[in-house]
Amino acid sequence: MINSLASADDAEVAVAAAHAGADVVRTMYGRRLTRFDKGAGDFATAADVEAEKTILGVIRAARPDDAVLGEEGGQQGAADAVRQWLVDPLCGTLNYAVGNMLVAVNVALRNGAAAVADPFSGEIFFTDGDTAWVRQDGVDAQLAPTPATQLVDVNLDPPFPSAPGVRAVDLLAHPEFGERFRPRVVSTTLALAWVAAGKRAAYVTDGGDLSGSVHFAAGIAVCRAAGCVVTGIDGSPIGQAGRGLVVAADAETHTLLMSMIRGRSR
């Protein structure tokens, strides 16, 4: 399979890499794994490291001249390369380490194709940069965001660089939020792909510029291609000037959430 990827398009490379990483994550689940301390309470497991090695093996075989930025291995190749892959081999490491299956494998070509794999459902959410699909059991279906679930995932993990002016956590105390939505905290960017798939109405997190983040780039790409509304937590376009994320299934949901966020920050 890897040998045939040299002639595949970028979306298929992203899917193959995410699928390979997901296989590792699923296979190593439940084992007693070595932990690697990153400081400030953060850590990686042997599964994170092994999944990233496997993902990089796929990318190198298919696109040997491309640069890669991996969460565990850092920068490989020129940081200013025209083509750079962003790899988060196991998003939701703490979930995984305590036996929670809510995790994601994220692979994205900067400003291009991307894939988000759920190792335990077998779903792979992906985009070629223009359209977004979900693949399961070899069958592809185009993603169709909808706010119908009224579930909004609010990431409560630090840091909170927009505080005290804007705080995602304040949404939970907003009187209208409980009337219109139900909060969820899954602690993995798998929830971003769920917005694109109609499993979540929206996703909210604080943070810096997340457009080039190994954690968020794949999910952002899938959501954009699916037609979601994607901005910073202050409503600005994401990028160097933007902070955090508000990703909504439709414009009405996004407008309502932004009114709540701005109302709490005044």
Side-chain angles (χ1 to χ4, degrees), residues 17 31 35 69 80 91 115-116 130 133 140 176 179 189 251 262:
R31 297 183 186 178
R35 295 191 183 190
L69 176 62
D80 59 351
C91 186
V116 178
D130 296 314
W133 301 269
D140 293 350
E176 288 185 59
E179 296 175 5
T189 54
R262 288 167 174 156

Side-chain angles (χ1 to χ4, degrees), residues 16-263:
H19 184 275
D23 282 347
V24 173
V25 170
R26 186 174 55 256
T27 298
M28 298 183 72
Y29 177 75
R31 297 183 186 178
R32 197 178 190 88
L33 299 173
T34 302
R35 295 191 183 190
F36 306 96
D37 182 40
K38 296 182 177 182
D42 193 15
F43 63 91
T45 70
D48 297 67
V49 174
E50 190 61 34
E52 182 166 302
K53 288 180 181 177
T54 300
I55 292 167
L56 264 59
V58 174
I59 294 173
R60 285 174 182 146
R63 301 291 188 269
D65 297 326
D66 290 359
V68 177
L69 176 62
E71 182 185 6
E72 309 309 333
Q75 180 69 41
Q76 299 184 40
D80 59 351
V82 174
R83 290 174 55 89
Q84 181 187 53
W85 294 86
L86 307 171
V87 175
D88 180 359
L90 204 173
C91 186
T93 299
L94 182 55
N95 285 351
Y96 186 79
V98 299
N100 187 320
M101 293 182 179
L102 289 174
V103 300
V105 176
N106 296 312
V107 178
L109 177 63
R110 190 184 291 273
N111 301 318
V116 178
D118 181 337
F120 299 102
S121 75
E123 295 170 306
I124 302 180
F125 308 90
F126 68 99
T127 178
D128 58 2
D130 296 314
T131 311
W133 301 269
V134 58
R135 177 173 298 174
Q136 188 165 34
D137 299 327
V139 178
D140 293 350
Q142 191 166 340
L143 293 177
T146 170
T149 66
Q150 296 185 320
L151 301 177
V152 176
D153 214 280
V154 183
N155 179 21
L156 301 180
D157 291 336
F160 307 117
S162 301
V166 178
R167 301 200 317 159
V169 68
D170 287 339
L171 267 179
L172 305 181
H174 195 289
E176 288 185 59
F177 186 85
E179 296 175 5
R180 293 293 301 271
F181 303 111
R182 291 293 179 268
R184 291 293 183 273
V185 183
V186 303
S187 298
T188 168
T189 54
L190 180 61
L192 262 179
W194 285 350
V195 179
K199 298 182 180 184
R200 290 287 189 272
Y203 177 91
V204 180
T205 185
D206 198 357
D209 172 14
L210 302 181
S211 60
S213 164
V214 296
H215 307 290
F216 291 92
I220 290 172
V222 170
C223 286
R224 279 178 162 165
C228 300
V229 181
V230 182
T231 71
I233 198 171
D234 61 353
S236 301
I238 61 171
Q240 293 184 354
R243 288 181 177 272
L245 280 175
V246 176
V247 178
D250 64 354
E252 181 181 356
T253 301
H254 184 271
T255 298
L256 183 55
L257 286 171
M258 290 309 308
S259 70
M260 295 178 189
I261 293 170
R262 288 167 174 156

